[in-house]
Amino acid sequence: MNQPHAAPDPAGAPAVDNRHVPAAFVDVDETLVRDVTFLSLFVFDARRRAQGEEADAVLEEFRALRAAGMSRGESHRWFYRHWAGREVAEVSRTGRDWFASRAADSAFFNVAVRHRLDELRRAGTRIVLVSGSFVPALHPIAEAVGATSVLCTTLETTGGRYTGAVPATMVGADKSAALLRYAERTAVDLSSCTAFGDHHSDIAMFDLVGHPVVVGDTDRRLHGYPAERLPG
């Protein structure tokens, strides 16, 4: 049987030994997958219901708000209100259909990240998705990669429907707080863990773990961050 081995490290950071990593925390959008999942699912759902033009207008306004300086957390709250009134079970089913459609594209997953996660999982590492997206988009991805937990944005529901309110986002500092809660609940040593991300907002998560992995090189604010590098 092949033994787990230390992963290669092109950036010169200490290599991670797959045998001694209790948990791997993984950003999803544009890290594990190449989509922004909560936007992609929204468009998929709208076009299925012949409301593609309305969805395109929402995305255009969302991007304009971000360009004008609205924070990631606030822009997510603004966006998720558009699910108000929808049945949770229906959106969950749509999420599975969306995933089946997107995963049929060989470019949907980042192959380098998925390969590393497969290595870690086979060595006994718990895979934990940490994302600003929400459950209907994330659960099918979690099942596909064998993730044991999903830490994500929480949408309020009542009577089986979304209200449009967002009790908790999962961006920036939210991620570090979620990792600390996870570590307390599961008694893992974060300094023995690894984390994958593509954006400078992931630094809050990187700073807590012993082995950060920066995916891609599109964010200049991560160019000097001491981490292993994987292609984006």
Side-chain angles (χ1 to χ4, degrees), residues 73 77 130 153 168-181 204:
R77 291 180 190 278
V130 188
T153 295
T169 60
M170 190 61 66
V171 296
D174 299 331
K175 291 185 176 182
S176 60
L179 262 63
L180 290 169
R181 290 193 297 269

Side-chain angles (χ1 to χ4, degrees), residues 45-225:
D45 171 75
R47 289 182 176 160
R48 169 180 278 191
R49 296 184 297 117
Q51 296 180 356
E53 290 187 4
E54 292 89 335
D56 290 343
V58 170
L59 261 62
E60 183 177 352
E61 187 173 359
F62 172 78
R63 289 169 176 143
L65 291 170
R66 290 292 300 276
M70 180 179 280
S71 71
R72 288 166 67 89
E74 286 305 307
S75 63
H76 281 212
R77 291 180 190 278
W78 178 90
F79 185 84
Y80 281 120
R81 74 183 188 184
H82 292 87
W83 289 105
R86 296 290 302 280
E87 290 185 358
V88 175
E90 178 198 3
V91 177
S92 179
R93 289 191 296 270
T94 301
R96 292 189 176 278
D97 292 344
W98 162 83
F99 174 74
S101 172
R102 295 298 300 124
D105 182 349
S106 61
F108 177 67
F109 280 102
N110 182 320
V111 175
V113 174
R114 189 165 186 185
H115 176 69
R116 179 62 58 77
L117 295 183
D118 285 344
E119 288 183 333
L120 289 165
R121 181 176 49 79
R122 286 195 295 267
T125 298
R126 284 172 278 182
I127 308 301
V128 181
L129 303 188
V130 188
S131 175
S133 191
F134 71 139
V135 164
L138 295 173
H139 270 191
I141 296 172
E143 291 175 357
V145 302
T148 58
S149 300
V150 176
L151 310 177
C152 65
T153 295
T154 303
L155 276 62
E156 182 182 78
T157 64
T158 184
R161 294 179 181 270
Y162 292 113
T163 68
V166 179
T169 60
M170 190 61 66
V171 296
D174 299 331
K175 291 185 176 182
S176 60
L179 262 63
L180 290 169
R181 290 193 297 269
Y182 180 90
E184 182 177 5
R185 183 173 72 252
T186 61
V188 300
D189 177 5
L190 290 175
S191 68
S192 298
C193 295
T194 187
F196 298 75
D198 71 299
H199 189 266
H200 65 265
S201 63
D202 294 318
I203 289 175
M205 180 170 65
F206 289 157
D207 285 346
L208 291 177
V209 301
H211 191 86
V213 182
V214 172
V215 178
D217 62 358
T218 58
D219 191 334
R220 293 182 179 180
R221 292 174 64 175
L222 285 174
H223 285 182
Y225 191 86

